Amino acid sequence: QKEVEQNSGPLSVPEGAIASLNCTYSDRGSQSFFWYRQYSGKSPELIMSIYSNGDKEDGRFTAQLNKASQYVSLLIRDSQPSDSATYLCAVNEGGGFKTIFGAGTRLFVKA
Amino acid sequence: NAGVTQTPKFRILKIGQSMTLQCTQDMNHNYMYWYRQDPGMGLKLIYYSVGAGITDKGEVPNGYNVSRSTTEDFPLRLELAAPSQTSVYFCASSYSSVGRSNYGYTFGSGTRLTVV
């Protein structure tokens, strides 16, 4: 069974700090990796995608990928109370069409 | 541009009843998916489709059925509803290309289903 593991949290950070969210995956053949944000009672929203080893930055968000360690992370700089949500790590099956989701990490940003 | 539209948003079913969850997308995405999300759990794939006329089972297909007659529509049918099917259901679509099978999903707003 291919798996995506995340710490469920909650992760609590003060406003303005860096929030660091981590994810590990079991499928060594995976090539596509995603982070989704889900507010309570809402649907997931794609915020970052990453396909190559290294860092990818988009505004206050940085995704990091290390395929050798099967590890994906998301950094949120200058965290805002509006960033409080559940963050889902998602990994595409190697060579396939299906995406496997982690259970999510709940983030609280305290004003 | 509406994206992915799901109906209904809420529904209460009695045990043994049947219903269809509707999903339509206007982005010309070839891939479409149905997931369910239980409290504290990740999204579990029910069925997916890579194009009109092509569907396949995901991780938790029992008790469900799908069809894909057009690129736009991907309805999910629940037959003989059971309490275990109480969940939030999300439809999603994605674009793919020759070089990459998935650029990330666009989700619908979800259907909250309760079976009593």
Side-chain angles (χ1 to χ4, degrees):
Chain A
Q1 179 76 357
K2 295 168 183 173
E3 295 182 335
V4 176
E5 301 283 346
Q6 293 181 257
N7 188 322
S8 61
L11 173 65
S12 184
V13 301
E15 183 176 0
I18 296 175
S20 177
L21 305 161
N22 305 313
C23 170
T24 59
Y25 61 95
S26 63
D27 185 359
R28 286 196 169 273
S30 297
Q31 298 294 325
S32 304
F33 307 85
F34 309 93
W35 283 98
Y36 291 82
R37 177 177 61 201
Q38 186 174 26
Y39 292 113
S40 181
K42 301 295 186 182
S43 57
E45 173 193 12
L46 179 67
I47 55 172
M48 290 290 287
S49 59
I50 186 166
Y51 306 107
S52 304
N53 278 330
D55 295 0
K56 179 182 177 182
E57 186 174 319
D58 184 359
R60 295 186 297 112
F61 299 100
T62 299
Q64 300 174 317
L65 174 61
N66 184 326
K67 290 184 181 179
S69 301
Q70 296 175 248
Y71 179 90
V72 191
S73 65
L74 178 70
L75 301 177
I76 307 175
R77 289 182 301 281
D78 189 23
S79 295
Q80 301 297 309
S82 59
D83 294 326
S84 298
T86 296
Y87 289 80
L88 305 174
C89 175
V91 177
N92 217 55
E93 280 190 341
F97 311 106
K98 295 179 282 186
T99 297
I100 301 169
F101 286 81
T105 299
R106 293 179 66 193
L107 173 66
F108 290 107
V109 181
K110 299 174 293 185
Chain B
N1 191 342
V4 179
T5 302
Q6 285 184 244
T7 57
K9 293 191 184 304
F10 303 93
R11 184 72 184 268
I12 298 174
L13 278 183
K14 293 184 179 179
I15 294 172
Q17 287 185 322
S18 300
M19 75 165 294
T20 299
L21 281 65
Q22 301 291 344
C23 176
T24 186
Q25 53 94 5
D26 62 359
M27 298 172 286
N28 202 32
H29 285 172
N30 42 355
Y31 292 0
M32 295 188 75
Y33 308 84
W34 276 105
Y35 283 86
R36 60 177 286 174
Q37 186 176 38
D38 299 319
M41 307 290 287
L43 292 152
K44 301 295 184 186
L45 181 63
I46 304 171
Y47 270 95
Y48 68 101
S49 169
V50 300
I54 306 170
T55 63
D56 207 348
K57 296 177 180 179
E59 185 181 356
V60 290
N62 291 344
Y64 307 95
N65 237 316
V66 294
S67 60
R68 183 108 180 261
S69 57
T70 66
T71 299
E72 294 79 19
D73 299 309
F74 190 41
L76 177 71
R77 178 80 176 164
L78 278 72
E79 304 282 2
L80 299 176
S84 61
Q85 293 178 305
T86 294
S87 190
V88 180
Y89 292 84
F90 289 106
C91 178
S93 70
S94 69
Y95 172 72
S96 69
S97 67
V98 173
R100 191 169 303 287
S101 61
N102 185 355
Y103 288 89
Y105 292 174
T106 300
F107 281 89
S109 58
T111 296
R112 188 173 297 273
L113 175 68
T114 303
V115 181
V116 296

